[in-house]
């Protein structure tokens, strides 16, 4: 499908391209500063705040929002919900790009990025939850790459290898879910080592469970949300199967997310009760905690439920957007807002422009690559040579 | 094959049993080294002269400070350890005038930094010191997140070889049989180095002899699972910058639950998911079979119906045929009869 040649030549100077180019240039400038001047030259990190927005957004949110990969493929291949089939490829691609960008972004945050393989190949710190995160992310990135490869192989016309890979789908899906369960929850478990630094309303022994369950909501909402975003610009690439199933997929995931969000709300309340932290609710942090719980968990759960009942796709999409935002709020709260809550305001962290630029830079690269791939490879449509071959 | 290596690697992530003994910071039955050493700090003796800071700076070859060490005006602001200063003395307002307290790495018995580091860059030595090996450090700074005392500092301005910096309890000097720099120089003996068990006894003895001078608590004996540095004071510890809400659980204990869950997930999840898959697969198969049966049924039904229809048609056709014959016969008979009549008429005319 040489969509490129078929499409009429458009001017390069679209608003998207202009903004993207500006961000990319700014990103390169900050990158140079980062790798010549050290972290101190571009970040607001300091001795009290070793982790900032690069961990809070690029790593924690990035991984949670890329959870659409394992949720969608599990729904389709393990739970046998065939209507999700058309959604699998876009979700896997997003997840693969998401994780690749997480690793890319870590290259900025860690002091000696070329040593990132050390924990696995040189000296294993197996008592560290970060080791688990690293190992799982590395393995899962590989799994995602293999899971994504059929699209690329079809594009390249390599039928034999493609068929072998397709046969491994179930095994890969199960690996994927195991690995995702582990590292999604380990990201929460990272903070269990620091009860004295994280505000009690957010600290809990159940943090791993909270992170895992919320990643399911994040993944499914992201699939809905991103399907909506790519619908307009990519519409001409979507085949009938994708389009036919699109609403079914939204309704199905909408219903599931509504239930899982409700469950998440429940386990958060259980966590609160278990640690008997009710009295914190009347404080300033308590008010913010309530905003997170009511506005970004209870409300979207409710909106999803109504949307599914009334088959109101627009409402479901709004609920998805709210949930995605809610995940970002939650991960920001844990890694930045409620972290170091005991320090005086002057010692607290706020991201610098350089840090924000790099985060935008990473997201922009993701969008550009996503567009590049989806306009060329069979993502939103089935390759004509391989119809009905799955 | 893929599955096997995969599971093996994952198992390694969770099984602390596979660890060499020396790195057993993650086990929850950690026993401190029997002759672990430490330092006892007595806040009632410290006069805030900053000589320990100076000695530390010298023995560790740290860069010169912004203000000289005999400038006591820096005490007006609370400071923390940095990559250029492994120890700092702070001034606090006490009941009977200013109280000073020295800060540095507490050399935890089960260090949070060591259990958090994913390349094992930190090690707890038998003599009590927690030391760091920059040659493997990736610079993720999780150790800084983990340390409950906020001690490790990072070389943020170093682009290529940033290190995590903190007090080493002067491990190199200890190895030579010398005292830690700060302990050696302290003019008031506010610092005492020795076997940790002994230090606890000394601390208890001082508290027993001067109950009006000290609070009945040895800070560091239990906090965070115990530290090699111990503190006694006449001021509540939270008033001299030592948090009293840290609890007695060591860092590895805090994360043990999450780590223990790993092998379970690895073991159980594939079984559960495989089971779900088998069920959906079976459901799909049954549904499929049912569909096939339904089609067959429909076909046979359709078949017999068609036969019946054919028979009906045939019989109908027969009836129709019969009727046609009957009609024809009738017609023929009528014609024959009328022909006879005609003949008779003709005959009559002829006669
Ligand atoms: S005080 Fe901090 S840096 Fe020192 S051993 Fe304990 S955890 Fe590690
Ligand atoms: S910054 Fe270095 S020492 Fe600290 S946890 Fe990371 S790798 Fe280990």
């Amino acid at each position: 499908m040489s969509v490129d040649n078929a499409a009429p030549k458009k001017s390069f100077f679209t608003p998207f391209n202009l903004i993207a180019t500006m961000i990319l240039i700014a990103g390169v400038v900050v990158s140079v500063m980062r790798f010549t001047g050290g972290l101190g030259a571009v970040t607001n990190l300091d001795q009290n705040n070793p982790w900032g927005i690069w961990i809070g957004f690029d790593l924690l949110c990035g991984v949670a929002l890329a959870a659409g990969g394992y949720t969608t493929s599990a729904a389709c291949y393990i739970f046998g919900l065939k209507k999700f089939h058309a959604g699998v490829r876009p979700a896997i691609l997003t997840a693969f790009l998401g994780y690749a960008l997480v690793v890319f972004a870590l290259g900025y945050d860690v002091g000696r990025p070329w040593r990132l393989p050390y924990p696995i190949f040189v000296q294993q710190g197996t008592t560290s939850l970060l080791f688990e995160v690293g190992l799982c992310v590395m393995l899962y990135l590989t799994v995602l790459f293999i899971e994504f490869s059929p699209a690329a192989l079809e594009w390249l016309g390599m039928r034999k290898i493609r068929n072998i890979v397709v046969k491994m789908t179930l095994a890969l899906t199960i690996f994927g879910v195991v690995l995702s369960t582990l590292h999604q929850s380990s990201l929460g478990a990272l903070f269990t080592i620091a009860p004295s630094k994280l505000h009690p309303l957010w600290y809990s022994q159940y943090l791993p469970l909270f992170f895992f369950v919320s990643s399911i909501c994040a993944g499914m909402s992201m699939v809905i949300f991103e399907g909506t975003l790519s619908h307009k610009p990519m519409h001409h690439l979507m085949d009938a199967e994708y389009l036919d199933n699109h609403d079914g997929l939204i309704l199905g995931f909408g219903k599931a997310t509504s239930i899982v969000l409700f469950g998440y709300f429940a386990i958060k309340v259980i966590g609160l009760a278990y640690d008997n932290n009710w009295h914190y609710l009347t404080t300033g942090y308590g008010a913010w905690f309530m905003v997170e719980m009511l506005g970004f968990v209870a409300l979207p759960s409710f909106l999803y439920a109504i949307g599914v009942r009334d088959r109101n796709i627009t409402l479901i999409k709004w609920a998805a957007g709210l949930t995605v935002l809610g995940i970002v709020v939650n991960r920001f709260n844990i890694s930045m807002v409620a972290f170091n809550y005991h320090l005086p305001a002057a010692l607290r962290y706020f991201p610098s422009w350089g840090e924000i630029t790099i985060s935008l830079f990473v997201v922009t690269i993701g969008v550009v690559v996503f567009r590049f791939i989806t306009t060329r490879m069979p993502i939103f449509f089935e390759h004509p040579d391989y119809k009905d071959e799955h | 094959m893929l599955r096997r290596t995969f599971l093996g690697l994952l198992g390694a992530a969770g099984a602390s049993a596979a660890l060499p003994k020396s790195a057993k910071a993650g086990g929850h039955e950690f026993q401190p080294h029997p002759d672990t050493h430490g330092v006892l700090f007595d806040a009632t003796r410290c006069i805030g002269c900053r000589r320990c800071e100076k000695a530390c700076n010298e023995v560790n070859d740290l860069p010169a400070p912004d203000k000289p060490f005999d400038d006591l005006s820096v005490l007006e602001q609370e400071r923390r350890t940095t990559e250029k200063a492994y120890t700092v003395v702070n001034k606090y307002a006490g009941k009977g005038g200013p109280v000073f307290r020295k800060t540095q790495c507490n050399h935890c018995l089960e260090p949070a930094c060591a259990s958090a580091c994913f390349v094992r860059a930190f090690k707890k030595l038998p003599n009590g010191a927690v030391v760091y090996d920059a040659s493997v450090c990736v610079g993720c700074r999780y150790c800084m997140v983990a340390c409950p005392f906020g001690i490790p500092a990072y070389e943020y301005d170093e682009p290529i070889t940033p290190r995590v910096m903190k007090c080493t309890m002067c491990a190199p000097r200890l190895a030579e049989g010398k005292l830690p720099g700060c302990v050696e120089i302290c003019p008031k003996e506010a610092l005492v180095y020795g076997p940790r068990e002994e230090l606890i006894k000394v601390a208890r003895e001082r508290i027993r002899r001067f109950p009006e001078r000290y609070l009945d608590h040895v800070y560091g004996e239990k906090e965070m699972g115990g530290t090699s540095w111990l503190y006694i004071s006449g001021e509540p510890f939270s008033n001299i910058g030592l948090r009293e809400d840290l609890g007695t659980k060591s860092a590895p204990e805090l994360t043990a639950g999450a780590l223990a869950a790993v092998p379970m997930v690895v073991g159980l999840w594939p079984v559960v998911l495989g089971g779900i898959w088998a069920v959906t697969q079976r459901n799909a198969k049954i549904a499929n079979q049912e569909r096939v049966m339904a089609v067959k049924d429909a076909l046979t039904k359709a078949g017999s119906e068609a036969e019946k229809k054919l028979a009906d048609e045939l019989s109908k056709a027969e009836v129709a045929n019969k009727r046609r014959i009957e009609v024809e016969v009738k017609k023929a008979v009528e014609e024959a009869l009328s022909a006879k009549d005609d003949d008779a008429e003709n005959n009559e005319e002829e006669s």
Side-chain angles (χ1 to χ4, degrees), chain B residues 116-173:
Chain B
C117 179
F118 65 166
V119 284
R120 275 193 280 135
F122 286 99
K123 203 159 60 199
K124 174 87 179 166
L125 299 180
N127 66 12
V130 175
V131 292
Y132 162 78
D133 172 9
S135 74
V136 287
C137 174
V138 181
C140 66
R141 308 184 299 288
Y142 186 35
C143 48
M144 298 168 69
V145 170
C147 176
F149 304 105
I151 295 301
Y154 189 67
E155 295 183 311
Y156 280 107
D157 296 323
E158 189 56 56
I160 311 294
T161 56
R163 290 169 298 173
V164 173
M165 307 293 267
K166 70 166 196 70
C167 151
T168 63
M169 207 152 113
C170 283
R173 286 171 59 91

Side-chain angles (χ1 to χ4, degrees), chain A residues 253-265:
Chain A
F253 266 1
K255 191 169 172 187
T257 317
S258 170
I259 297 168
V260 180
L261 271 174
F262 183 77
Y264 177 70
F265 189 88

Side-chain angles (χ1 to χ4, degrees), chain A residues 162-281:
Chain A
R162 179 256 180 214
N163 287 348
I164 296 173
V165 177
V166 167
K167 283 217 183 70
M168 296 168 23
T169 302
L170 178 68
L172 286 172
T173 306
I174 292 185
F175 287 164
V177 178
V178 171
L179 291 167
S180 296
T181 309
L182 288 176
H183 70 260
Q184 294 285 0
S185 54
S186 303
L187 283 177
L190 282 182
F191 292 91
T192 55
I193 204 168
S196 57
K197 296 188 181 176
L198 191 55
H199 190 281
L201 282 175
W202 281 273
Y203 183 88
S204 163
Q205 280 183 313
Y206 298 122
L207 265 176
L209 189 65
F210 294 165
F211 265 56
F212 174 61
V213 175
S214 55
S215 84
I216 299 176
C217 306
M220 293 193 291
S221 300
M222 198 58 191
V223 169
I224 298 175
F225 184 65
E226 173 219 84
T228 311
L229 287 190
S230 28
H231 212 89
K232 231 179 166 177
M234 308 284 170
H235 191 90
H236 58 287
L237 292 172
M238 297 175 172
D239 69 1
E241 192 204 343
Y242 181 87
L243 291 173
D244 280 353
N245 282 318
H246 193 64
D247 283 2
L249 187 146
I250 288 185
L251 285 172
F253 266 1
K255 191 169 172 187
T257 317
S258 170
I259 297 168
V260 180
L261 271 174
F262 183 77
Y264 177 70
F265 189 88
I267 58 174
K268 286 282 274 193
V269 173
I270 293 173
L272 203 61
Y274 184 81
D275 293 329
N276 199 10
N277 278 335
W278 301 106
H279 57 287
Y280 288 109
L281 289 181

Side-chain angles (χ1 to χ4, degrees), chain A residues 9 46 123 128 154 159 223 259 272 283 303 336 353:
Chain A
K9 274 253 175 287
D46 58 32
Q123 189 157 286
S128 171
E154 285 171 17
R159 179 180 278 268
V223 169
I259 297 168
L272 203 61
T283 64
L303 292 182
M336 292 177 274
W353 274 111

Side-chain angles (χ1 to χ4, degrees), chain B residues 181-215:
Chain B
C182 54
V183 175
E184 191 181 72
I185 207 156
C186 181
K188 287 289 182 184
E189 282 186 40
L191 296 168
V192 184
Y193 173 83
R196 186 170 180 272
E197 292 303 311
E198 291 299 311
L199 295 178
I200 293 175
K201 279 189 202 136
V202 170
R204 288 259 167 71
E205 184 59 16
R206 283 190 204 168
I207 295 170
R208 193 187 61 77
R209 281 177 45 206
F210 306 103
E212 68 299 331
R213 223 171 129 180
Y214 293 104
L215 290 168

